[in-house]
Amino acid sequence: MLTPEEKQESKKPLFDYEQDEDVSPLEFYEEGTKLALVLDGDSKHVKEITSVLEELTYKTVAPLSIRETMGKLLFHHFDLIMLSDGFDGLSLEESPVINYLNSLSMSVRRRIFLALLSKRFKTMDLLKAFGLSANLVINPDDLVNLSLVLKKGISDNEKFYKTFMDTLKEAGKD
């Protein structure tokens, strides 16, 4: 049986903007820099992913925990986020990152390309990606083809939103 203090502790969110002081928001990036957030607990995967993203001209940020990740998300716009199932011990369904992204306004969210990595997925399963509010799903076994997969996924996403984004620009609402 849990004590009242233990119950209260278990209800505390993993990240609380008001309370967490160990977040370091003072990182500056040159204007126009494409930022990518890589959230994977496997350092080998992070190295592979970072290498591919640098080829695609992204500046990569790879926090080690959910707390650090949430701090970065609050202070920076990331063009691409790659979230691995099991990052910081949490499944995709439990991830505060996905909850945060799903709470963003559509005008902000549609500018973020979200790729989810999990052994449970077939790479480029668009129906699964749609069901998880992601742009792309990738099986980690296919990281050797990550460059091709990302180029195709990002290109398809840009084509899908092109007319809409052009219309927003014309209306002065971009």
Side-chain angles (χ1 to χ4, degrees):
M1 191 74 163
L2 294 176
T3 66
E5 293 82 21
E6 291 172 326
K7 284 182 184 176
Q8 188 64 26
E9 187 66 28
S10 70
K11 290 182 182 179
K12 278 178 80 174
L14 288 170
F15 180 81
D16 184 351
Y17 175 73
E18 307 272 327
Q19 302 296 321
D20 287 343
E21 297 170 4
D22 59 346
V23 176
S24 56
L26 299 175
E27 293 177 71
F28 296 98
Y29 300 100
E30 226 176 279
E31 189 174 337
T33 300
K34 292 192 311 184
L35 288 178
L37 189 64
V38 177
L39 308 171
D40 195 314
D42 184 335
S43 59
K44 182 182 169 211
H45 286 175
V46 172
K47 192 180 282 190
E48 288 178 56
I49 293 167
T50 299
S51 173
V52 168
L53 291 175
E54 286 174 355
E55 280 178 31
L56 298 173
T57 69
Y58 286 90
K59 167 78 173 130
T60 305
V61 178
L64 301 174
S65 70
I66 288 292
R67 292 181 89 158
E68 187 181 350
T69 299
M70 296 309 292
K72 303 245 184 257
L73 282 171
L74 290 172
F75 293 105
H76 301 291
H77 168 77
F78 290 93
D79 300 286
L80 185 141
I81 298 173
M82 294 194 70
L83 175 60
S84 182
D85 196 8
F87 175 68
D88 205 12
L90 298 170
S91 70
L92 293 173
E93 292 78 17
E94 301 170 311
S95 177
V97 173
I98 291 181
N99 289 336
Y100 171 76
L101 293 174
N102 288 341
S103 72
L104 294 174
S105 69
M106 273 313 296
S107 61
V108 173
R109 173 60 182 90
R110 80 173 53 94
R111 296 177 190 279
I112 300 170
F113 188 88
L114 176 62
L116 302 176
L117 288 98
S118 177
K119 292 261 187 204
R120 299 181 288 154
F121 306 146
K122 283 185 175 182
T123 297
M124 298 189 85
D125 181 342
L126 298 179
L127 189 57
K128 187 66 154 173
F130 178 76
L132 293 166
S133 300
N135 300 89
L136 184 66
V137 293
I138 303 168
N139 188 301
D141 294 338
D142 293 326
L143 284 179
V144 293
N145 299 316
L146 183 61
S147 181
L148 295 172
V149 170
L150 280 177
K151 284 178 186 175
K152 171 90 170 105
I154 292 169
S155 172
D156 288 350
N157 190 60
E158 287 172 353
K159 287 176 192 169
F160 182 77
Y161 280 113
K162 182 174 181 1
T163 304
F164 180 74
M165 294 299 198
D166 289 347
T167 304
L168 283 179
K169 276 185 184 168
E170 285 178 25
K173 296 182 179 185
D174 65 337

